[in-house]
Amino acid sequence: MESTTDPRRAGTAPTGQVTAGADVADVDPDAGTPTPTVDVAPPAGAPAVDAATPGADPDAGAADSRVEARAGGRARWPTWRRDLGVYGAFLLAAIWVTSAIWADPSGRVASLYSSDPAQVQFFLAHSVRVVLHGEFPFYTDQFNYPEGVNLMANTAILALGIPMVPVTLLFGPAVTFVLLVTLALAGTASSWYFVLSRHVVRTPLAAVVGGWFCGFSPAMLSHANWHPNIISQWLLPLIVWRVLVITRSRRPVRDGAILALLVTWQAFINEEILLFTALACAVFLAAVLAQRPGLWSAAWRSTAVALGVCAAVAGALLAYPLFVQFGGPMAYHGLSDAVRDYGNDIAAFVTPGSPTLGGNERANANLAPNYSEENAFFGWGLALAAVGIVVWLRREPVVRALAVTGGAYAVLSLGERVSWWDRDLFTGPWEWLVRLPLLDAVVPTRFGLITTVVIGVLLALATDRAWTTRPVEPHTRKLVVVALVVALLPIAPMPLNVTSRPPVPEFVTSDQWRRYVAEDQTLVPVPIPSMGNTHGMRWAASTNLDFKIPGGYFLAPRNGNTGDPGRFGGRPSGVGEILQEVATTGRTPKLTDRQRRRALDELRHWRAAIMVLPLDQRNVEPLRQTVEQIVGPARRERDVWLWDVRPLTTRFD
């Protein structure tokens, strides 16, 4: 039913919200009886956080879902209309950010690195095969044939790809990719807005500010060109909310099962972000309990039961996929050394991100591992604003717990070697953690993504306090508005930088390849697909993986031995290395008999049917001349040079 009284004017809090003062009691919607909740000790006259505090009832709504309260005799917009307006604004912002890719999804890609989008498009095509052909979802030999790839260990985004199968079938994986990026940005912002507005803050503006930053922060923009799995964080606020629910749940079995379903869903989007979130919740709750140890006696029973149920349900659902990931074919343990060292420079926290209004790619070159991993880059304005908020609201346990969580993750994101403007200073704490189970498979710089979320929540709390503290202090509001503008304007999102990429050859799109390649044979792109050459993966993805390819861009055990440390790509390939060097340098080598024999052995191992070299490939003539030294003259078909190598690769079968 509609509310006609503003509860703040009446001196009471809406159901499910925690008010200021000691020993507050709140009505549990399940039990119908008062339940002790935590005193979050906000400034006098200010409302407190509910879902951000263990012991509060975050399961109850903060306002009526149909219409907001009337204030001063003037009716406000119905909540659902306001929400739709906010969601629509976030969607328009996401379209603005991705507009350059939307102009030509198949022909445009990130201007610096094109490998990750091609890999994601390959995984999207794999989801099509899972749905239409019933293929095994967690492993495939459609690339890196015949060894194959462990997809559970490679973030195959099944939870994103399978729902998008109709889009992929109708428009192709390139369109699905940019659609996922767009929805990830808007969806993450919208989800944080929803949770903040219902369970953390009272003013819609505060929720909008927090949701905006969580969805369109420099870190999110940095990953947007490459990693839709990382920026698809719309489940994170729901997981955090449900974790806080179980701290005083009257139905721990139900709430534990709900949390388990969210955890399972997120595991098939990105496990790394799930691990970060779980650890962040633990740090935050520990920080709250350190300040309010009395909460433990009221929360431990329901929390223990709910977590037990969550572990049992999620464990049952994820047991087999995790077995494949860690013990199945082509499983690896630990990341490549090249990635394990990725860390943020301290200066990255006070420099605007590259894809923002005040960003400068050249200035940021040595502050992050690469442009797709700018996981901090808040700028001086926001960095100082975040510190100022913590100082201003330091009396609130929730703010102090957020500061501890964000600070801990910021320190971990520095990696093994702490640096300032690319100058090594000393060894970071990550050096002592990097070899621990699970942590040996994460990229340390990405810990900064959680610091980003913490800052988003702090911005929401500060805005909310400025607007709801009684008596009203106009100077405080003006100061907060100015601080928000100074902090957020330099890191306002800009359209992602893109460049053109060669189209998929007509030889592939016209299905002419089907005349040569059988189901158990491979089409060999020239150069061989690898981390730096992923065009062949796009060719395969455009056909929904109807043909197999050797090589590719993926993580696999070193030397192809299951259980070894991870590396990018499969076993080293002699012909692959030769063709990669020719493609890079444009120089045609004089191959030895040994090199030719090894190349032919590799083609036989791959069960190669044809080798395909696009006419528009860079350094096409040196590449053609090099391949002809191995398998003989090429012939031109449509827009490619073609070698039918079946007589050479099948003679010993």
Side-chain angles (χ1 to χ4, degrees):
M1 58 186 295
E2 297 184 1
S3 172
T4 57
T5 305
D6 187 338
R8 282 170 293 187
R9 292 177 178 271
T12 61
T15 301
Q17 290 257 337
V18 179
T19 56
D23 300 324
V24 182
D26 187 42
V27 177
D28 188 308
D30 293 332
T33 58
T35 304
T37 62
V38 64
D39 171 20
V40 297
V49 180
D50 67 334
T53 307
D57 184 8
D59 206 11
D64 189 274
S65 60
R66 288 172 296 175
V67 66
E68 285 192 336
R70 297 176 181 271
R74 182 177 62 183
R76 298 180 181 176
W77 264 34
T79 302
W80 67 267
R81 290 185 180 177
R82 182 194 68 209
D83 291 345
L84 286 179
V86 172
Y87 301 150
F90 287 155
L91 181 59
L92 289 176
I95 293 173
W96 157 255
V97 169
T98 58
S99 57
I101 309 178
W102 274 115
D104 184 7
S106 298
R108 292 188 175 184
V109 71
S111 57
L112 295 170
Y113 309 103
S114 61
S115 298
D116 287 281
Q119 183 192 59
V120 172
Q121 291 173 33
F122 193 96
F123 291 156
L124 292 172
H126 171 70
S127 292
V128 172
R129 297 183 68 85
V130 170
V131 172
L132 296 187
H133 305 297
E135 288 203 358
F136 188 57
F138 309 135
Y139 170 87
T140 184
D141 63 359
Q142 294 301 118
F143 67 141
N144 195 39
Y145 185 84
E147 286 83 9
V149 175
N150 188 318
L151 296 179
M152 276 302 298
N154 275 271
T155 314
I157 58 170
L158 293 168
L160 301 178
I162 289 177
M164 285 290 175
V165 163
V167 178
T168 305
L169 285 171
L170 289 173
F171 304 104
V175 171
T176 306
F177 174 85
V178 65
L179 179 60
L180 282 176
V181 170
T182 305
L183 295 179
L185 294 172
T188 300
S190 298
S191 185
W192 276 110
Y193 162 80
F194 175 82
V195 171
L196 290 171
S197 65
R198 299 308 194 273
H199 305 288
V200 180
V201 298
R202 293 189 179 183
T203 56
L205 176 62
V208 169
V209 170
W212 169 265
F213 183 73
C214 289
F216 296 93
S217 67
M220 292 285 283
L221 299 174
S222 171
H223 286 282
N225 250 333
W226 296 275
H227 306 136
N229 57 310
I230 291 178
I231 64 173
S232 293
Q233 297 181 18
W234 30 269
L235 285 179
L236 265 59
L238 302 179
I239 291 173
V240 172
W241 166 42
R242 299 311 301 183
V243 166
L244 296 170
V245 163
I246 67 175
T247 61
R248 75 178 297 263
S249 173
R250 292 299 182 90
R251 297 180 180 178
V253 174
R254 179 203 65 177
D255 292 330
I258 293 173
L259 180 60
L261 295 178
L262 293 172
V263 166
T264 302
W265 192 357
Q266 177 62 38
F268 288 109
I269 297 176
N270 187 274
E271 292 173 315
E272 187 176 41
I273 297 298
L274 176 61
L275 176 62
F276 289 166
T277 304
L279 295 176
C281 288
V283 172
F284 174 82
L285 292 175
V288 171
L289 288 175
Q291 302 171 78
R292 295 287 189 271
L295 293 174
W296 175 251
S297 60
W300 77 266
R301 290 182 179 83
S302 63
T303 303
V305 172
L307 288 179
V309 171
C310 177
V313 175
L317 294 173
L318 293 173
Y320 182 65
L322 291 178
F323 168 76
V324 174
Q325 176 176 347
F326 294 106
M330 299 299 286
Y332 61 88
H333 296 157
L335 291 179
S336 165
D337 292 340
V339 176
R340 198 176 65 183
D341 292 343
Y342 280 8
N344 286 325
D345 191 293
I346 295 176
F349 290 91
V350 296
T351 306
S354 296
T356 64
L357 182 62
N360 186 320
E361 288 184 358
R362 292 184 178 180
N364 296 350
N366 296 320
L367 302 183
N370 55 59
Y371 292 113
S372 70
E373 295 288 353
E374 292 188 357
N375 294 300
F377 291 87
F378 306 126
W380 275 110
L382 182 57
L384 293 175
V387 173
I389 291 170
V390 172
V391 173
W392 175 34
L393 303 178
R394 63 189 180 277
R395 296 182 181 278
E396 300 190 30
V398 167
V399 172
R400 294 198 293 265
L402 286 170
V404 169
T405 306
Y409 271 74
V411 170
L412 291 177
S413 77
L414 299 176
E416 296 181 70
R417 295 185 302 276
V418 178
S419 61
W420 170 255
W421 288 105
D422 202 29
R423 295 181 180 179
D424 288 349
L425 301 178
F426 50 84
T427 299
W430 184 244
E431 171 71 20
W432 308 314
L433 303 174
V434 67
R435 291 173 181 82
L436 294 178
L438 298 182
L439 293 182
D440 64 353
V442 305
V443 182
T445 177
R446 295 177 183 172
F447 281 108
L449 293 167
I450 300 301
T451 303
T452 294
V453 169
V454 168
I455 290 178
V457 177
L458 288 174
L459 290 173
L461 291 176
T463 305
D464 189 61
R465 296 298 182 265
W467 256 254
T468 59
T469 299
R470 298 294 184 269
V472 176
E473 299 179 5
H475 296 296
T476 301
R477 290 187 180 182
K478 292 178 181 178
L479 181 61
V480 169
V481 169
V482 171
L484 288 176
V485 172
V486 171
L488 297 181
L489 185 59
I491 56 172
M494 299 297 291
L496 300 173
N497 291 329
V498 298
T499 188
S500 60
R501 60 182 174 184
V504 177
E506 186 183 353
F507 175 80
V508 174
T509 59
S510 66
D511 286 343
Q512 193 164 344
W513 62 270
R514 296 183 187 274
R515 295 163 45 198
Y516 304 95
V517 185
E519 185 177 354
D520 61 345
Q521 295 177 315
T522 61
L523 182 155
V524 181
V526 179
I528 310 301
S530 65
M531 183 178 180
N533 267 302
T534 53
H535 296 319
M537 295 179 67
R538 290 195 299 117
W539 302 358
S542 70
T543 68
N544 291 324
L545 311 190
D546 283 349
F547 60 79
K548 304 176 190 292
I549 60 173
Y553 173 39
F554 53 91
L555 279 164
R558 196 171 300 163
N559 299 318
N561 299 318
T562 296
D564 282 356
R567 57 162 287 167
F568 289 108
R571 293 177 178 174
S573 163
V575 66
E577 292 173 357
I578 291 171
L579 295 177
Q580 176 63 49
E581 184 176 356
V582 174
T584 303
T585 65
R587 293 193 295 267
T588 305
K590 179 67 174 178
L591 300 183
T592 65
D593 289 341
R594 181 177 180 181
Q595 288 175 315
R596 284 192 289 267
R597 286 196 301 271
R598 181 182 178 184
L600 287 173
D601 287 342
E602 289 178 346
L603 291 174
R604 294 186 186 108
H605 178 68
W606 296 334
R607 298 186 61 84
I610 54 176
M611 299 181 72
V612 178
L613 173 62
L615 297 178
D616 59 0
Q617 170 68 42
R618 181 187 175 191
N619 293 324
V620 61
E621 277 306 300
L623 284 167
R624 181 181 64 82
Q625 294 167 11
T626 303
V627 175
E628 286 182 341
Q629 293 184 57
I630 302 172
V631 296
R635 72 171 183 269
R636 179 172 174 174
E637 288 202 20
R638 291 184 182 264
D639 54 350
V640 303
W641 289 112
L642 178 72
W643 291 268
D644 185 347
V645 298
R646 287 175 295 179
L648 298 173
T649 59
T650 59
R651 63 174 61 176
F652 299 113
D653 287 357

